Amino acid sequence: MEKKGTRDAFGEVLCELGRENDKIFVIDADISASTKTTKFYELFPDRAFDIGIAEQNAAGIAAGLATTGKIPFISTYAVFGSMRMLEQIRTSICYPNLNAKIAVSHGGLTPGNDGPTHQAIEDFGIMRSIPNMTVIMPGDYYAVKKLVRKAAEMYGPVYLRFTRDSIPVIYTPEDEFEIGKGKRIKEGNDISIIAIGDMVYAALQAAEKLNEMGISAEVIDMHTLKPLDADIVKEAIDKTGKIITVEDHNIINGLGSAISEVVAETGKGIVRRVGINDTFAESGEYTLLLEKYGLDSNNIVIKAKEILRL
Amino acid sequence: MDSYNKVEYLEKKAKELRKTIIDMIYHAQSGHPGGSLSIADIVTALYFDELNIDPKNPKWEERDRVILSKGHVCPAIYGALAMKEYFPYEEIYTLRKINSRLQGHPDMKKTPGLDMTTGSLGQGLSVGVGMAIAAKFDKKPYRTFVILGDGELQEGQVWEAAMSAAKYKLDNLIAFVDVNNLQVDGCCDDIMSVKPIVPKWKDFGWEVFEIDGHNMEAIVKTLEEIKNVKGKPICIVMNTIKGKGVSYMEGVCKWHGQAPNTEEYNIAIEEIMR
């Protein structure tokens, strides 16, 4: 299975966008090599600002640029992009609904060996509770290319989350994505697995394993956490009535919670959530962490059996 | 207008602005008079003389920008905008009330003439840096003016912004520090001193001026002088009196965020218009 870097895709598409539109600006906080914006600096030095280790200032500068019609991308890690500059995002960007984008690598457990200080497992919940904010995590390299472009084209603040480690390629360059529309990538009738970001691949793997056991699972890539595609969730409720959510995030307040809200309001259907069980993880290789903390296809299969009472 | 007449004119406008501030806070029975009165003179000089603005076209791309980083003293800006006819003057009586365009803290999406949403201290200067960078990139002559409080300098983000403004040589960015020496819990020097203020900004790479923030002649002269500064952001440290113009409010901490009652209101108006 081929793996490709989602942050590399971000760096590449940012350069494409920069070439097409001189309103695209980039603001980094000392980690441009890591968030893959260095090429943008070489190509467009007068639109790239490394403002040092000062994330709050980064958010404010982005807000100021956005008031003048620029489209700034703040580029940092998910922990800093969602928490160190949270109030600035909330008050200076989202409240006045300014057209600034917060693009973060190192989402979820993907910073692996850097440990819990650098693993962002709270950011989905934080970001989705801010009015005017759109929250997206693409499922692979090609999805990043398309969704970053869509985020640049739409008006308003967007939180875009990527991974540190490369993740399996599941799409082709021809696949299309629409912000706010979940993508059904495998059909199935018995159970619905709804996943986001780096967990979409695990969901596909689990669906295969279930298939071998004679269980037909559909897989939905819910790349946009907010606005959530409630229609596709309701379709899943009507078709299978049994939903498993999978996310590289705390089990509280992320995708599982968002989908449970829809399910609860329809009054039918069952949900099981796969995510980090409200705990800080630890240092370690990313894939081993996924296994240890239950974010893998085996755990999805266990949850599927539970829900199907097998 | 020669400079003597200009100062006299601005002093008269500053009185009107102070009256408007007290009027709207009295009618709202809520708001922040102390700090609104301490910045009334600089706000008057900006809106009635210095700024390149067009009240009929609040979103004009070439306009000078004003960011009230100490957003709680928005009655001063609302008053100036009302006097400049950005919106009907009577609207000042809707301050802080439901369905009003005049929110308790500045909302750029609601109030015509506001360039930024503020209210959480420490955030405005960074936004000003972004606007100033954009002006340089677009090769536009507009300037960005940011009004900060002295207590606000306790916020770390202010200094992040200060560093970045110097790095990018933003001589189109002007910060005013309203040194009225008081914050909510007491004297700034007792709560968490930010002094000495002038050397701090100098050390961060800014061109610094220190003036009496209630001396209109000094304000007008300094706003002229700063036009000669090249390659550095500009900071004007203004020594002011919180509550300036209303004797019982001057230098008294409780008038940070309290509205006058009817008796107090009448005294205030009488003193201001005297």
Side-chain angles (χ1 to χ4, degrees):
Chain A
M1 154 262 299
E2 187 196 4
K3 286 186 177 180
K4 272 173 101 87
T6 54
R7 51 179 165 152
D8 296 298
F10 168 64
E12 288 160 22
V13 71
L14 203 57
C15 291
E16 290 167 24
L17 291 166
R19 216 169 273 127
E20 295 161 20
N21 186 352
D22 73 355
K23 290 188 174 359
I24 303 284
F25 278 57
V26 172
I27 303 162
D28 268 283
D30 198 41
I31 41 182
S32 62
S34 180
T35 59
K36 305 294 175 189
T37 53
T38 358
K39 188 78 188 164
F40 190 97
Y41 280 74
E42 286 167 26
L43 294 172
F44 316 107
D46 54 347
R47 284 188 273 142
F49 297 85
D50 193 334
I51 52 91
I53 310 160
E55 290 79 10
Q56 304 173 49
N57 191 34
I61 292 175
L65 286 166
T67 64
T68 70
K70 309 299 180 202
I71 307 170
F73 277 77
I74 304 164
S75 174
T76 181
Y77 294 164
V79 272
F80 311 132
S82 64
M83 287 174 269
R84 192 55 171 264
M85 57 192 202
L86 170 58
E87 200 217 344
Q88 286 74 13
I89 291 175
R90 183 260 187 194
T91 302
S92 286
I93 295 175
C94 287
Y95 173 31
N97 197 23
L98 295 174
N99 194 18
K101 319 296 174 186
I102 299 101
V104 298
S105 69
H106 292 53
L109 294 178
T110 71
N113 46 24
D114 286 331
T117 54
H118 285 58
Q119 294 161 355
I121 61 167
E122 308 86 353
D123 54 338
F124 280 159
I126 293 167
M127 286 298 145
R128 85 180 179 99
S129 59
I130 307 176
N132 291 332
M133 183 62 106
T134 294
V135 183
I136 296 172
M137 185 173 191
D140 81 344
Y141 174 90
Y142 293 110
V144 171
K145 289 245 169 153
K146 294 286 167 73
L147 283 163
V148 170
R149 181 170 285 278
K150 296 270 182 186
E153 285 165 0
M154 69 163 269
Y155 182 88
V158 182
Y159 182 79
L160 287 150
R161 189 203 213 212
F162 314 122
T163 60
R164 184 194 74 173
D165 285 22
S166 295
I167 56 172
V169 170
I170 51 182
Y171 293 113
T172 69
E174 285 72 43
D175 275 300
E176 293 298 336
F177 300 83
E178 202 182 321
I179 292 174
K181 290 269 173 263
K183 196 172 169 69
R184 187 175 287 103
I185 52 178
K186 187 186 169 299
E187 297 288 343
N189 301 312
D190 298 330
I191 192 164
S192 305
I193 308 174
I194 306 181
I196 185 166
D198 50 332
M199 290 296 101
V200 177
Y201 179 72
L204 285 169
Q205 276 184 309
E208 265 179 46
K209 288 180 183 169
L210 290 166
N211 196 40
E212 283 163 19
M213 299 159 60
I215 299 161
S216 160
E218 70 167 351
V219 176
I220 294 165
D221 174 358
M222 195 68 94
H223 48 74
T224 308
L225 177 63
K226 186 189 171 186
L228 189 78
D229 184 354
D231 291 340
I232 205 167
V233 178
K234 286 173 188 161
E235 282 168 30
I237 295 169
D238 289 339
K239 199 201 297 180
T240 70
K242 298 173 189 71
I243 296 173
I244 297 177
T245 63
V246 199
E247 61 197 305
D248 186 353
H249 185 270
N250 193 345
I251 203 155
I252 294 174
N253 286 344
L255 180 72
S257 298
I259 286 174
S260 298
E261 288 159 14
V262 177
V263 172
E265 286 186 359
T266 62
K268 43 185 185 170
I270 312 170
V271 180
R272 288 287 183 278
R273 294 169 297 153
V274 172
I276 299 155
N277 199 16
D278 197 23
T279 182
F280 290 107
E282 65 192 69
S283 287
E285 197 201 311
Y286 163 58
T287 49
L288 297 178
L289 288 175
L290 292 182
E291 235 173 84
K292 177 165 178 180
Y293 289 88
L295 303 180
D296 62 348
S297 58
N298 290 335
N299 196 30
I300 300 171
V301 169
I302 290 168
K303 286 280 192 302
K305 285 180 169 170
E306 249 177 57
I307 211 170
L308 292 161
R309 295 165 197 264
L310 293 175
Chain B
M1 207 181 314
D2 64 37
S3 68
Y4 174 75
N5 282 338
K6 185 197 273 186
V7 168
E8 211 176 48
Y9 165 76
L10 290 174
E11 283 171 346
K12 191 172 138 273
K13 284 289 168 194
K15 276 189 175 208
E16 283 176 40
L17 179 58
R18 284 196 162 87
K19 178 181 178 294
T20 304
I21 289 167
I22 293 297
D23 255 352
M24 72 173 95
I25 294 173
Y26 170 66
H27 278 89
Q29 275 303 299
S30 167
H32 298 81
S36 299
L37 293 171
S38 66
I39 63 161
D41 297 299
I42 187 64
V43 168
T44 303
L46 287 175
Y47 280 89
F48 291 90
D49 184 42
E50 189 61 23
L51 295 178
N52 188 24
I53 48 175
D54 177 5
K56 291 194 175 57
N57 189 4
K59 300 273 175 213
W60 180 36
E61 281 189 17
E62 310 282 326
R63 74 188 185 282
D64 286 334
R65 270 74 168 168
V66 175
I67 300 171
L68 186 65
S69 194
K70 45 178 299 190
H72 55 283
V73 300
C74 52
I77 303 289
Y78 294 160
L81 294 174
M83 288 161 68
K84 294 290 284 184
E85 298 178 7
Y86 275 86
F87 49 80
Y89 187 85
E90 304 72 53
E91 222 170 305
I92 64 161
Y93 301 114
T94 68
L95 172 71
R96 288 181 166 246
K97 293 185 174 148
I98 197 160
N99 298 324
S100 172
R101 294 197 287 182
L102 307 182
Q103 295 291 294
H105 292 81
D107 181 337
M108 65 183 283
K109 289 287 160 97
K110 288 215 161 96
T111 311
L114 283 184
D115 296 310
M116 186 57 200
T117 295
T118 52
S120 172
L121 295 176
Q123 300 191 20
L125 191 58
S126 299
V127 178
V129 170
M131 290 180 184
I133 286 173
K136 293 256 177 202
F137 178 83
D138 291 333
K139 299 190 170 52
K140 287 191 171 168
Y142 70 79
R143 294 183 294 165
T144 301
F145 298 86
V146 183
I147 301 172
L148 300 135
D150 51 353
E152 185 179 10
L153 303 187
Q154 292 159 359
E155 287 281 6
Q157 188 186 348
V158 172
W159 303 104
E160 296 183 1
M163 273 183 267
S164 60
K167 175 183 173 184
Y168 299 113
K169 303 183 168 53
L170 301 177
D171 48 20
N172 55 352
L173 178 68
I174 300 99
F176 300 99
V177 182
D178 176 28
V179 186
N180 64 28
N181 292 302
L182 293 177
Q183 58 188 106
V184 179
D185 273 357
C187 293
C188 298
D189 286 349
D190 295 333
I191 306 301
M192 183 56 65
S193 180
V194 291
K195 286 179 180 159
I197 294 174
V198 169
K200 280 196 179 66
W201 289 89
K202 278 191 178 153
D203 287 348
F204 274 77
W206 290 57
E207 189 73 30
V208 188
F209 298 79
E210 186 177 16
I211 59 170
D212 172 351
H214 301 308
N215 181 333
M216 195 58 84
E217 204 176 335
I219 291 173
V220 169
K221 187 167 147 275
T222 308
L223 288 174
E224 268 316 302
E225 269 177 40
I226 61 170
K227 288 171 185 159
N228 301 318
V229 177
K230 297 281 173 256
K232 280 168 131 187
I234 297 137
C235 177
I236 302 178
V237 175
M238 306 183 303
N239 295 307
T240 60
I241 295 165
K242 201 158 179 170
K244 173 73 179 177
V246 179
S247 59
Y248 62 85
M249 288 187 184
E250 287 188 2
V252 178
C253 208
K254 74 163 187 175
W255 291 103
H256 170 86
Q258 183 175 308
N261 63 27
T262 304
E263 190 189 342
E264 289 159 344
Y265 166 77
N266 288 332
I267 296 169
I269 297 297
E270 195 269 321
E271 286 186 6
I272 288 167
M273 299 317 286
R274 193 181 288 163

